[in-house]
Amino acid sequence: DTAVSQTPKYLVTQMGNDKSIKCEQNLGHDTMYWYKQDSKKFLKIMFSYNNKELIINETVPNRFSPKSPDKAHLNLHINSLELGDSAVYFCASSQPGRAGGGNEQFFGPGTRLTVL
Amino acid sequence: GIQVEQSPPDLILQEGANSTLRCNFSDSVNNLQWFHQNPWGQLINLFYIPSGTKQNGRLSATTVATERYSLLYISSSQTTDSGVYFCAVDLARRNSGAGSYQLTFGKGTKLSVIP
């Protein structure tokens, strides 16, 4: 079974549209994350979230918002898409404080978003 | 914020050769991970290694936390080892909320193994 899954794998859309990317983890972790990988392969944190705390990277535009219907899911909503939003978006999860594993993060397969 | 520097940026190896990838970081860390991003874009966990040495098959890693660096060793390289290798760290403070455990990535080492 896939530990961290994302849908869709590919997303092609027009500028100005609103879209969502879904993420689910079956690891029983409390904390989930969204990362963005740009065209130069640089990976950067966007959000981290558990049921108590949302931390937003200050460089993330407010057009991006994470929504968590339950502990196993953290979806990413993007409003008014722009050309510069084209990237690969990775979801991850971890269980901070777990004995022996610290805060090892596990990543989903990524969603390649192309804005035309 | 913390700086993570990886070297070399690019590496070309003949199949069967050995290599060492380096990750330097600018502050004390509670978490350090090595990932392999394969040509299909998947991020594969190689090691969770905030300190010490670990081995997994042909790969091993060592982190010297007091000197703020980590090394990834690849022995007897194979073409399937090709891809980008990332080092990532977090500065989570032990008494902070779980949401502060955010990884900062280096820019990666692009490895090409040729037959």
Side-chain angles (χ1 to χ4, degrees):
Chain A
D1 279 347
T2 303
V4 183
S5 59
Q6 296 178 228
T7 54
K9 188 169 176 60
Y10 300 97
L11 182 55
V12 181
T13 188
Q14 299 286 332
M15 277 176 54
N17 284 351
D18 302 337
K19 289 293 179 184
S20 295
I21 305 172
K22 295 185 177 181
C23 177
E24 176 181 3
Q25 54 95 4
N26 63 7
L27 298 168
H29 289 165
D30 284 337
T31 304
M32 297 182 72
Y33 311 80
W34 279 103
Y35 291 83
K36 178 180 179 180
Q37 186 172 41
D38 63 22
S39 58
K40 295 183 179 179
K41 299 282 192 180
F42 187 55
L43 276 149
K44 192 170 184 180
I45 183 71
M46 299 178 71
F47 306 99
S48 59
Y49 181 80
N50 65 12
N51 59 3
K52 300 175 186 175
E53 188 176 20
L54 169 66
I55 293 186
I56 302 171
N57 184 305
E58 60 189 12
T59 66
V60 175
N62 58 14
R63 298 181 296 103
F64 290 78
S65 58
K67 290 189 176 18
S68 180
D70 55 57
K71 196 174 85 165
H73 297 83
L74 183 66
N75 303 325
L76 182 65
H77 295 266
I78 316 170
N79 295 325
S80 303
L81 278 156
E82 300 178 357
L83 292 176
D85 298 333
S86 295
V88 180
Y89 293 84
F90 286 95
C91 176
S93 74
S94 73
Q95 185 61 37
R98 172 171 288 176
N103 187 42
E104 185 174 6
Q105 294 189 22
F106 296 87
F107 282 71
T111 295
R112 181 175 294 277
L113 171 65
T114 303
V115 182
L116 303 174
Chain B
I2 189 169
Q3 304 298 313
V4 182
E5 295 182 358
Q6 292 187 241
S7 60
D10 295 279
L11 185 58
I12 300 174
L13 294 177
Q14 200 77 38
E15 198 169 24
N18 303 328
S19 62
T20 300
L21 282 57
R22 187 176 181 102
C23 173
N24 292 333
F25 42 95
S26 60
D27 205 341
S28 300
V29 299
N30 285 323
N31 176 16
L32 188 145
Q33 290 184 244
W34 282 98
F35 297 90
H36 174 215
Q37 187 166 38
N38 64 23
W40 296 270
Q42 286 181 297
L43 276 168
I44 299 165
N45 288 38
L46 296 179
F47 294 102
Y48 169 79
I49 186 164
S51 63
T53 297
K54 291 186 178 179
Q55 180 155 7
N56 184 3
R58 296 180 297 103
L59 273 59
S60 64
T62 295
T63 297
V64 183
T66 53
E67 297 186 21
R68 299 182 184 169
Y69 73 88
S70 183
L71 302 173
L72 177 69
Y73 305 95
I74 304 174
S75 63
S76 304
S77 59
Q78 301 176 357
T79 55
T80 51
D81 295 332
S82 296
V84 182
Y85 289 80
F86 290 103
C87 168
V89 303
D90 85 53
L91 286 175
R93 297 175 297 278
R94 291 187 187 280
N95 295 323
S96 296
S100 61
Y101 289 74
Q102 300 176 351
L103 287 175
T104 298
F105 281 78
K107 293 185 177 180
T109 292
K110 183 177 180 181
L111 175 64
S112 301
V113 181
I114 55 177

